[in-house]
Amino acid sequence: MSDESRPTPAQTPVAAVIPAAGRGVRLGPGAPKALRALNGTPMLIHAIRALAASRHVSLVIVVAPPEGAAEVKSLLDAHALPERTDFLVVPGGESRQESVRLGLEALPPRYGIVLVHDAARPLVPVDTVDAVIEAVRDGAPAVVPALPLADTVKEVEPAAVAGDPEPVVATPERSRLRAVQTPQGFDRETLVRAHESVTENVTDDAGMVEQLGVPVVAVPGHEEAFKVTRPLDLVLAEAVLARRRLNDGF
Ligand code: CTP
Ligand code: MG
C-alpha cells in the first residue's frame, strides 16, 4: 500500500474477535458457557452487542465452539444486531489462544486495529471499548483495560493435592497490581506476530505481546466488564442487567 492510500490511525477500520469456544467448566454442567442465557438472551449475544455498540467497530468475528458454528450463525440471525456492523463466524480450537488465532486468520486485510474480547464478559460498557480503541489509535501497540485489586494477592507454592495448605512465597504490593479485563486492543500486525511466534500457553493476548518485548499499556477498566466464570457470576450479571433496565426506565 502506498503512503497516500494508507489509512491514518483515526480512519483505520477496527475489528473485534470474540473467543466464545470455551466449555465453561467452572460454571458447571450445561451448554457451552457463551451460549447460556442471561435474562433470556445468550451471553454471546450480549457480548456481541456490547462490542458492536461502538461506532468504531465495523466487523465482529465470533469464534464459536468447534462443533457449534452453525448454531452460532443461526443465533446471530435470530437476534437484532446493528446493521452497520459485519459479522463472521469461525469454529474455535482447544485453547483460548488457538481460538483467537483462528479468529485472526479470518480477519480481512483492511482492518489495522483488532480487539480481542471474551464472550464471557457480556456486560462491558461501550465507553470501555472506546477507551481501548482510542489508546490504540493514539499509538499504543497493545492496550488492556485494568482495575486495581480489592483483595491482597499472595504468591504460593501450589499444593500437589487441592485443598492442602500452601506455603506463601511472596506478597506483591497491592497498589502496583491490576486485574486485567477485555477487550484488549492491538495494532493488528503486532498481535498477529505475537500469535505466530509465542507458543507457551498464556492467559491473555497482551501477555504474548509482552513476550515480544513490545510495550503494553493499561487504561481504566470497568467493574461491569467482569468475567462470568463461576455460578455466582451469573447472579451478578443478571443483577447488573436489572439495574440497567431500572436506570433506562423500562
Ligand atoms: N475460549 C475459547 N476457546 C477455548 C477456551 C476458551 O474461545 N478453547 C473463550 C471462552 O469461550 C471465553 C474466553 O475464552 O469467552 C475466556 O475463557 P474462560 O472464561 O476461561 O471460559 P471457558 O474456558 O469457557 O471456561 P472454563 O475455563 O471455566 O472452562
Ligand atoms: Mg478457560
Side-chain angles (χ1 to χ4, degrees):
M1 210 189 283
S2 75
D3 277 356
E4 274 166 30
S5 61
R6 196 186 295 276
T8 65
Q11 299 163 331
T12 303
V14 180
V17 172
I18 302 190
R23 287 233 30 91
V25 171
R26 288 169 289 179
L27 205 51
K33 179 161 73 176
L35 306 185
R36 299 214 207 169
L38 283 182
N39 273 10
T41 302
M43 206 180 306
L44 174 62
I45 296 293
H46 287 283
I48 293 171
R49 285 179 175 155
L51 273 281
S54 167
R55 60 187 176 83
H56 304 290
V57 174
S58 47
L59 170 68
V60 174
I61 299 178
V62 179
V63 187
E67 314 298 321
E71 184 181 353
V72 166
K73 276 187 193 140
S74 49
L75 271 184
L76 296 197
D77 291 338
H79 291 84
L81 297 168
E83 302 235 331
R84 59 177 160 72
T85 316
D86 292 329
F87 297 94
L88 283 174
V89 179
V90 299
E94 280 299 307
S95 65
R96 181 185 184 281
Q97 205 165 338
E98 191 186 345
S99 294
V100 172
R101 187 178 53 74
L102 291 166
L104 288 175
E105 282 174 6
L107 185 64
R110 58 189 291 262
Y111 294 90
I113 294 176
V114 52
L115 306 181
V116 181
H117 181 63
D118 295 327
R121 299 182 188 271
L123 303 181
V124 61
V126 69
D127 288 353
T128 305
V129 178
D130 284 337
V132 170
I133 294 169
E134 193 184 336
V136 181
R137 285 195 161 156
D138 284 349
V143 178
V144 297
L147 287 179
L149 299 184
D151 294 329
T152 294
V153 172
K154 305 268 185 211
E155 182 183 347
V156 299
E157 197 54 65
V161 178
D164 280 2
E166 301 176 312
V168 170
V169 176
T171 305
E173 188 186 332
R174 190 177 66 192
S175 63
R176 293 179 58 85
L177 298 177
R178 301 288 180 268
V180 170
Q181 305 177 320
T182 72
Q184 300 189 351
F186 304 90
D187 159 59
R188 177 229 183 96
E189 186 272 327
T190 304
L191 183 61
V192 168
R193 195 154 51 89
H195 274 268
E196 281 166 359
S197 55
V198 177
T199 49
E200 298 96 286
N201 223 14
V202 293
T203 52
D204 79 331
D205 298 278
M208 306 174 74
V209 170
E210 287 161 50
Q211 289 189 36
L212 293 181
V214 172
V216 175
V217 295
V219 299
H222 196 286
E223 60 179 357
E224 292 183 2
F226 68 94
K227 191 166 71 158
V228 174
T229 305
R230 287 173 282 264
L232 191 61
D233 298 322
L234 289 173
V235 178
L236 178 60
E238 293 201 331
V240 169
L241 286 170
R243 182 174 72 177
R244 284 185 186 175
R245 270 202 312 279
L246 271 179
N247 290 343
D248 292 350
F250 62 89

